[in-house]
Amino acid sequence: MKAYIPATQIEKTGIIRFVPVNISNKDLYSKLSSIYEIIAVRRFTKKVGQDRVPLQTVSITFLSHVLPDNVQYDLFSYRVFEYVPPLLQCFKCFKFNHAAKVCNGKQRCSICSGDHFYKECDRPNELCCANCSGPHLAISKACPVKLKKIMEKKTNITYASKADTRKVEYPALPDKNKIVRPEKTTKTQSQKIALSTPAETPKFDIKKELLHNTDLMNALVSTLIELANKTDSNPITNNSIKDTYAY
């Protein structure tokens, strides 16, 4: 079995705007700099007739689970925005968040919402959305159900991005050739190990011992009284205490 970390946990895609269309993806990838490693750059395009026209919006994928605030290109700084992928809509039942190839629903018409393919529709002027029954196509951006799904997706992505601000570091996976499996220990071996382990030595509390030793306490009190009654001017030192106690 092979273990791996899902890309969604260690990669994050954002977008930058107003990037001149004459800058290629290759130049952007080689010259863009960020606090996080950049692993992919892609410029958005749109289809006009038979051609693909480049746009000024560019997506950037970072090796990080959070987005940086900005990226630099030469002397320019571009703000990084959250990337919200397009809402997935089925072209069979025209519901959301699944594709037609895995759809278990009935065939619906995107024009009149009937149970047929849109090319077989005999009522092309009677528009009826399959989701909200409104007077528009089922794929229309004006559909209130579709707009609600888009807003929910944006909200979920933004919330997840703000909630996960901790820096996560994943440890490297161990080399399977260097894994050392522990040997089984029998009950007898466990008993031998327990017997061979030295018991913890209790700590010696000198104050406690002093309070419980009556003779020692009496000698100490007598020494302190004798030193307090001294009439000479000699200072009390460790040696003078020892001499008085010994006497």
Side-chain angles (χ1 to χ4, degrees):
M1 300 177 66
K2 183 178 180 181
Y4 67 95
I5 299 173
T8 55
Q9 300 295 323
I10 57 175
E11 296 179 7
K12 189 74 172 179
T13 300
I15 60 173
I16 56 176
R17 299 173 178 144
F18 309 112
V19 182
V21 296
N22 60 339
I23 303 177
S24 65
N25 288 342
K26 183 178 180 180
D27 289 340
L28 287 171
Y29 181 75
S30 60
K31 294 183 179 180
L32 278 173
S33 60
S34 167
I35 59 175
Y36 303 125
E37 182 181 352
I38 298 174
I39 59 177
V41 172
R42 180 176 65 90
R43 183 182 292 275
F44 289 98
T45 61
K46 68 177 181 179
K47 189 174 183 180
V48 179
Q50 299 298 324
D51 300 326
R52 303 293 301 185
V53 178
L55 302 178
Q56 291 186 326
T57 303
V58 176
S59 71
I60 306 175
T61 302
F62 302 89
L63 190 60
S64 170
H65 69 291
V66 293
L67 292 175
D69 293 331
N70 51 65
V71 293
Q72 288 71 41
Y73 180 86
D74 288 341
L75 300 178
F76 297 94
S77 179
Y78 292 95
R79 181 183 174 185
V80 179
F81 297 89
E82 194 79 37
Y83 171 63
V84 181
L87 180 65
L88 182 62
Q89 185 174 15
C90 174
F91 287 98
K92 181 182 177 183
C93 70
F94 293 96
K95 300 298 181 182
F96 302 99
N97 298 320
H98 70 273
K101 62 181 179 180
V102 296
C103 179
N104 296 322
K106 295 181 179 180
Q107 178 67 60
R108 303 294 295 274
C109 175
S110 62
I111 300 174
C112 69
S113 73
D115 298 336
H116 54 265
F117 192 52
Y118 79 97
K119 290 184 178 180
E120 302 170 355
C121 184
D122 56 357
R123 296 180 295 172
N125 296 324
E126 299 180 11
L127 299 180
C128 182
C129 177
N131 290 305
C132 69
S133 301
H136 53 260
L137 296 174
I139 59 174
S140 173
K141 294 182 178 179
C143 175
V145 176
K146 189 171 186 176
L147 289 174
K148 183 179 178 181
K149 293 289 184 179
I150 292 174
M151 292 304 299
E152 287 177 354
K153 189 169 187 178
K154 288 182 178 180
T155 302
N156 291 337
I157 291 178
T158 304
Y159 176 78
S161 177
K162 291 182 178 180
D164 191 9
T165 58
R166 297 172 300 172
K167 185 177 179 181
V168 179
E169 295 182 358
Y170 294 94
L173 295 175
D175 188 349
K176 62 180 181 179
N177 297 323
K178 296 182 179 180
I179 296 178
V180 179
R181 302 186 182 280
E183 297 180 356
K184 293 184 178 180
T185 304
T186 62
K187 184 177 181 180
T188 304
Q189 292 175 334
S190 301
Q191 293 175 348
K192 290 182 178 179
I193 293 174
L195 292 174
S196 61
T197 304
E200 184 178 358
T201 304
K203 294 182 179 180
F204 179 75
D205 191 344
I206 188 170
K207 292 182 179 180
K208 184 177 180 180
E209 293 294 330
L210 183 62
L211 292 174
H212 287 79
N213 193 324
T214 305
D215 295 336
L216 185 59
M217 282 293 297
N218 292 334
L220 181 60
V221 171
S222 299
T223 302
L224 294 176
I225 294 174
E226 185 174 349
L227 289 173
N229 294 329
K230 287 181 60 176
T231 57
D232 56 23
S233 58
N234 295 329
I236 299 175
T237 62
N238 290 339
N239 291 332
S240 63
I241 294 175
K242 291 179 181 179
D243 292 341
T244 304
Y245 178 78
Y247 177 77

